[in-house]
Amino acid sequence: MKNQISESRKAAGWSQEQLASTLGVSRQTVIALERGKYNPSLPLAFRLARTFSTSIEELFDYDEAELGS
């Protein structure tokens, strides 16, 4: 799943470590999220959206084709 996490984090002037601390996850999780290697749980997706004052839909680009639907 494509996302705008890296762009949002950089626009906020935060390091990956700062974002991880804010979200209560590891820096490795933030790296995996930014690279699209890890899809967040729904609660984490909501925390990310609230952190960047945006909606989940604006932060994540869901493509049904990726799921084979």
Side-chain angles (χ1 to χ4, degrees):
M1 178 179 337
K2 296 175 186 166
N3 65 67
Q4 300 296 315
I5 297 170
S6 178
E7 293 83 355
S8 298
R9 175 182 59 77
K10 290 174 184 175
W14 292 359
S15 68
Q16 290 174 331
E17 188 64 43
Q18 288 170 311
L19 179 57
S21 178
T22 298
L23 296 172
V25 300
S26 69
R27 180 172 172 264
Q28 289 77 16
T29 298
V30 170
I31 291 168
L33 286 165
E34 289 185 350
R35 292 181 179 171
K37 302 290 184 188
Y38 172 70
N39 292 330
S41 65
L42 191 54
L44 180 54
F46 274 106
R47 284 199 315 265
L48 279 159
R50 278 195 306 266
T51 296
F52 295 122
S53 300
T54 190
S55 67
I56 290 175
E57 292 86 358
E58 290 180 18
L59 199 56
F60 294 94
D61 182 21
Y62 174 72
D63 184 0
E64 285 190 36
E66 291 178 11
L67 298 176
S69 299

